[in-house]
Amino acid sequence: MLAEYFPVLLFLVVAAIIGIALIVIGNVLGPRRPDREKTSTYECGFEAFEDARMRFDVRYYLIAILFIIFDLEIAFVFPWATVFSSLGLVGFVEMGMFLGLLVLGYIYVWKKGALEWE
C-alpha cells in the first residue's frame, strides 16, 4: 500500500531539491553590492516616518475583518450557482434568505459608520 504513495514522495523530494538548489544558486552566483540606500528601511517607497509599533486606527482592522467576512460569505454563492438548476425553488429561497441576511448586515455596518474613512 505504501508503494502507491511513492510518486507523491518522489514529487515532494524533487520539489524540495529544486527549491533548495535555486536558493543556493541565487546566493552563490547573485551579485552582492550593498550600499546605504539598499540596506535602509523604507515604507512604500519613502523613508519611514514613525515607529513600527505605532497604533493603527481600529477602523482599519474593522474594514479588513468586514472584507474577509463578506468575501467568505460570497464564496458560498459559487457552489450554489453550480447546482442551482437541481435545487429548485427551495434552494432559491434559501439562498435568497442568505443573501438577504448578508445585505442586512451590510446595511447595519453602513449605518453604524464602519465604512466611513476619514
Side-chain angles (χ1 to χ4, degrees):
M1 181 169 158
L2 290 177
E4 295 175 8
Y5 290 105
F6 180 72
V8 175
L9 178 65
L10 181 64
F11 176 77
L12 291 174
V13 169
V14 170
I17 289 172
I18 290 173
I20 292 170
L22 289 174
I23 291 173
V24 169
I25 290 171
N27 283 334
V28 171
L29 299 178
R32 288 199 177 96
R33 292 184 289 268
D35 59 6
R36 186 175 157 270
E37 191 171 329
K38 283 184 183 179
T39 58
S40 67
T41 57
Y42 64 95
E43 189 172 309
C44 298
F46 53 87
E47 294 292 325
F49 53 87
E50 289 198 29
D51 185 24
R53 291 177 179 84
M54 69 180 242
R55 291 183 149 211
F56 283 99
D57 194 1
V58 174
R59 286 175 286 182
Y60 171 77
Y61 297 110
L62 184 62
I63 296 273
I65 289 171
L66 288 173
F67 172 75
I68 290 171
I69 289 171
F70 286 119
D71 190 43
L72 288 177
E73 288 186 3
I74 291 300
F76 287 117
V77 175
F78 291 111
W80 172 78
T82 58
V83 294
F84 173 69
S85 61
S86 65
L87 293 177
L89 185 61
V90 175
F92 181 73
V93 170
E94 287 179 1
M95 186 52 75
M97 289 177 13
F98 174 75
L99 292 176
L101 288 174
L102 184 65
V103 168
L104 284 176
Y106 179 73
I107 291 170
Y108 173 77
V109 168
W110 188 11
K111 293 291 184 184
K112 284 292 190 178
L115 301 176
E116 303 275 332
W117 195 266
E118 297 174 5

